[in-house]
Each structure stands twice: as structure tokens, then as C-alpha cells.
Amino acid sequence: MKIRNNAYFITGGILSALLTVIIVVGLFWTPYSTTAMNAKEKMQPPSAMHILGTDNFGRDLFSRVMEGAGTSFLIAVMVVVIGCAAGILIGSLCGYFGGLADIILMHICDTITAFPAILLALVIISITGGGAMNIVLALGILFIPSFARVVRTEYAACRDLNYIKSARLMGVSTPRILYAHILPNTLPVLIPAVTIGFNNAVLAEASMSFLGIGIQPPQASLGSMLKDSQNYLNSAPWYALGTGLAVVLLILAFSLLSEGVQQGSRRK
Amino acid sequence: MKLVLKKIISLIITLFVVSLLAFLAFQIIPGDPTTKILGTSATPEKVAQLRSELGLDRPVMIRYLDWLGSFVRGEFGTSYTYRRDVSVLLSDKLPVTVLLTVISFLITVVISVPLGILAGSTRRKWVDHIFVILDQVLMAIPPFFFGIISCFLFGIVLKWFMPGNFISLKESPARCIAYLILPAVCLALPRIAMTVRMLRSSVQEELAQNYVLTARSRGLSRGGIIQRHVLKNAMIPVVTFLAVSAAEIMTGTIIIEQVFTIPGTGRLLVSSIGNRDFPVVQAIIVILAAWIVIVNFAADMLNRWMDPRMRVE
């Protein structure tokens, strides 16, 4: 993969590295307290002291965005980890062994992907109730098919290649063939799937928290902050704009990254 | 023709399975709907009476067939919170959502198809770059943030409209549609970006094919080839994608209705999930799911009609 000189990859890489640093720092330290209220500094526009301004309780918005982005980021990462791990497991077994189970499972995957993830997540959440853990589980399960699909295609293509056949003849165990020999070959399709999945997860979590059925207060995510900010659009527009911009940057960074990777691998 | 028949049968089976799943999903909810209606302090006799009134004492499969039968007839049950027929609740909300979806979908198609063809066929490097960058940025902006920005910009700064001051379809259809245009655009923008991106790569792929070279060497103009030959092939994957878009837009209304406070099905769905008003949730989910299945079926049929290769099997 020749991706070094790709403008999208570089921009996306720098942006996502920067955001990741801010988010990781935000897990341990924020410039101001994210909970302490300060009536004197209510709804301050952005200034040198508060670069994104303050909200209706006088809390520093940059600190709040750091915290909220952290929640959104962690949820998205967990969703992708669940979806990707289960997807690799199902995809590898289906692709390698084939048979009736493969046909049935892939049919189920196709049916699930036909429905927008948010709609299915809403169904699950309406039954199980909201909260961070339920969101992660619901979205994680719904993201399995997209990973299983791409992984399965690669495994089915690799199954009968000579190097796998010879590995089998040499007595390499099946798990080792599956995950040490074939898995690295799926990386070119898996990496874009992971970045796209991450973006979809950020978007889905933000949408659900925005609807008020995702992250519940006092915990804040970018989506739930945007929901609150809508009430102050008239008096404190920076609240909504700053928070929304954080969502956009987070998604943009990773989609630029995946665009760069895809262009780089295509040129090969 | 035989294939179409097969497809229709498979559509009906899919609708059956979807309805069964939607029904069963709401059967495994912990807690009895009777406690929701009567409260926790109800006497066992009253609970038993209500259970038989609601038909909850019969086997699951019988209840499913019963429910499906009345669903097809347009009776969606009674809302727990509003104590009214769900169909009555939906009758003035569904048209708004459908209208919003249709407007948004039309905007998506009308804008993205010409732009996608332009993006795919341009030979200017900078135009291509602008398209790619614009696509990336537009795809990164969630529709509800577009909504918030446009409420701020057009509602508060420019004062073109009052966010939240929805005019119902009965009051004035024209002003209702006018109010819906901005949310429709917000919903359409990311879909437009995705469709343009898709059509762009599809057209580029087709343009690299040998038949284009042959046609060129026979003296056909580039524009003519694109119109007559390339588009026919390039549109095929896009039609499938537009079907997905129609489904996504319908789901997207759930969120955008919240931003613009449009009293449609989406708002009802969200408040019903909050109230755990399951008959309403169930009805809306099944309607949305049926819509998605049917749209996908239509796209499949359209594809078959457009692409003769798919008819041979």
C-alpha cells in the first residue's frame, strides 16, 4: 500500500491523531471542571478564557466537549470492537467452511443490513431501555453483518489458494490457518470497514443521544449535548455550533483517513 | 415473468417474517402491559379481567395471527398513553412524514444524478478534487446538525421562518410544504454526497471500459457515449443505492422531525419509546420496516428491467 504521499491520508491522519490526543487527555484532565456550575459566567461567548464559550450553567464548553467526545469516542470504539470481533469470527467460519450455515447466516446478514441501523437500534433500545451499555450492545450487534460480509468474501476467496492447501497438508491447525494465515489478507478490506464502521457508530450514537434515548444525564456525549444546546440556539448559538463542529471533525478525520487508505490501495 | 412471480412470493414471505419478528420482539419485554395501564396496586382479579380483555391469555401464535389480521385491516391497537386507536394517532402524522420523505428523496435524485454524472465524466483534475472534498465534508455532517445550523441561520439570523412554527397540511398545504423543504434538504445533503460519490466512481469505471474506446474510435462524441452507453450501465448500482437512500431518509425523518419540531411519526415514535407505549412503537416500526422491504423490492425490479444480464439466471 503506497499511501504516504496521499493528501487525504495525511490530513486525516493529523486530524485524527490530534483529536485522539485531545480525547485521551480529556479522560484524565480538562481545563475546567465539567460539572461545577458558575452562575457568574453563564452563557459567555467564546473568549480567551473559554475558547468555546460557556453553557447555561456557566460550565466551560471546551471541557464539556472534551468529555462528551470521550464518551462518544469510547462508545464508537467498543461498538466497532464488538462488531469487528464477532464479524471476523462469523465471517471466517462461514467463508472457510461454507455449507448451509454459511448460506443461512449470510442471508440473515443481508436482511439486517437492508434496514437502517438506527431503526433497528431504536427497536432494541425501546425494549431494553437506554443507557451507555445497551447502546454499545445494540449497535455492536447491528454492526456485525457489515464486518462478517467483507471478511467472509476474503475467506471464501483464500480458502482454495495453494498456500492454504499446503499449510493444511503440513498439518497446520485450522484455527492457525484461519487467524494466522488468512486473517492478514483481509486487512485491505477490513481497515476501510473499520473506519467506516467507526464513523457510522459515532453518527448512530450521536443521533440516538440526540433523540434522548441514548446516553442519559449526567453523563454527556456529543449527541446529548447537541440536544441540550438546541434550547439555547437563540441566546448561546456557540453551544450548538461548537459541539456540532466536534462531531463533524471526529467523523471527517476518520473518513479522510479511510479515503486515503482506499485510494492508496487502489493505485497499487 | 416466472422470476417476477418468485420475487413477489419472496417479498410476501419477507414481509411475513419481518412482521413476526416485530411482533415477537415486543412480546419479550419484561413486565406486563396490564401494570402499565392499571398501575402496580391493581387487584389480581382486575389484572386477569384486563388480560382477557386485551387477549393476553391466549397463545402467542394465535395472538400474532390476530394482530396481523387487524394490522392489515388498518387497526393497529390502542395506545397505552393516549388511550386512543393508534391508527387515529397516525392518520394525521403519517402523511407529514411521507411528504417529508418524498420531498427529500426527490431533492436527492434531482440534484445528485446530474452532479454525479458531471463528477464522473469531468476531465479537469480540480473539478474532481472539489467534488471529492465536498463529498467528504458533506458526508461528515449529520443531518441533525445541518438542521440545527439551518434553524440558526435561516430561523434566527435571517428570520425566514420560525423554527417550531409548523403549519399543518390541513391549514395550508403550500405553507406546510414550504416548511418541510428545509428539513428535507438537511436530510438529503448527506445522501446527495453519497450518491454523487457512488455515481462518480461508477461512471469513471464505465468510461475506462473498452466499449467506450471502440465507440470513440468509431467517431462518436464523448458526450453522446456518456448519454447513450455509459449511463445505462453506470446507473444500475445507483438505483440500488437510491433505494437504500429512500429507506435511510424515511428513518432520518425520525431525527429531523425532532430538530424542526415537525409533528410526524418520528416525534410520536420517540415520545412513545420514552413512555414505553409499545402498541404505537410496534405499529410505526412495522410500517417503516414494510416500507423498506417494499422499496428494496422495487429497486430490485427496476434493476432487472434496466439490466438484461440480471434476467438470465
Side-chain angles (χ1 to χ4, degrees), chain A residues 142-164:
Chain A
L142 294 175
F143 277 41
I144 294 173
S146 60
F147 291 105
R149 253 271 162 240
V150 294
V151 170
R152 185 210 165 265
T153 314
E154 290 299 302
Y155 271 85
C158 283
R159 180 173 58 194
D160 295 321
L161 291 184
N162 279 335
Y163 82 100
I164 298 299

Side-chain angles (χ1 to χ4, degrees), chain A residues 60-102:
Chain A
D60 176 52
L61 276 174
F62 187 71
S63 308
R64 299 261 300 150
V65 166
M66 274 172 92
E67 195 197 17
T71 315
S72 299
F73 186 83
L74 282 181
I75 289 181
V77 167
M78 282 193 281
V79 165
V80 171
V81 167
I82 293 176
C84 191
I88 288 175
L89 191 69
I90 295 172
S92 61
L93 295 177
C94 282
Y96 191 73
F97 294 109
L100 188 65
D102 172 37

Side-chain angles (χ1 to χ4, degrees), chain A residues 130-249:
Chain A
M133 231 27 240
N134 285 340
I135 294 246
V136 167
L137 281 177
L139 290 178
I141 292 168
L142 294 175
F143 277 41
I144 294 173
S146 60
F147 291 105
R149 253 271 162 240
V150 294
V151 170
R152 185 210 165 265
T153 314
E154 290 299 302
Y155 271 85
C158 283
R159 180 173 58 194
D160 295 321
L161 291 184
N162 279 335
Y163 82 100
I164 298 299
K165 280 184 184 162
S166 50
R168 226 177 288 150
L169 281 175
M170 284 162 73
V172 180
S173 71
T174 310
R176 203 176 148 74
I177 289 179
L178 282 180
Y179 302 111
H181 291 210
I182 305 183
L183 191 60
N185 283 324
T186 63
L187 281 183
V189 293
L190 206 55
I191 292 172
V194 165
T195 47
I196 293 168
F198 177 83
N199 279 349
N200 288 338
V202 170
L203 200 59
E205 183 278 319
S207 310
M208 291 171 71
S209 300
F210 180 77
L211 291 178
I213 41 186
I215 300 299
Q216 303 297 330
Q219 202 180 10
S221 81
L222 293 175
S224 62
M225 285 174 68
L226 266 174
K227 175 187 158 70
D228 291 340
S229 74
Q230 248 211 308
N231 301 327
Y232 307 101
L233 205 51
N234 216 338
S235 47
W238 52 86
Y239 189 174
L241 297 182
T243 316
L245 216 58
V247 181
V248 173
L249 282 179

Side-chain angles (χ1 to χ4, degrees), chain A residues 38 42 50-51 59 72 90 128 130 147-148 152 156 167 205-206 240 266:
Chain A
N38 186 344
K42 235 165 79 174
H50 303 282
I51 55 172
R59 297 175 294 192
S72 299
I90 295 172
T128 60
F147 291 105
R152 185 210 165 265
E205 183 278 319
R266 213 178 297 142

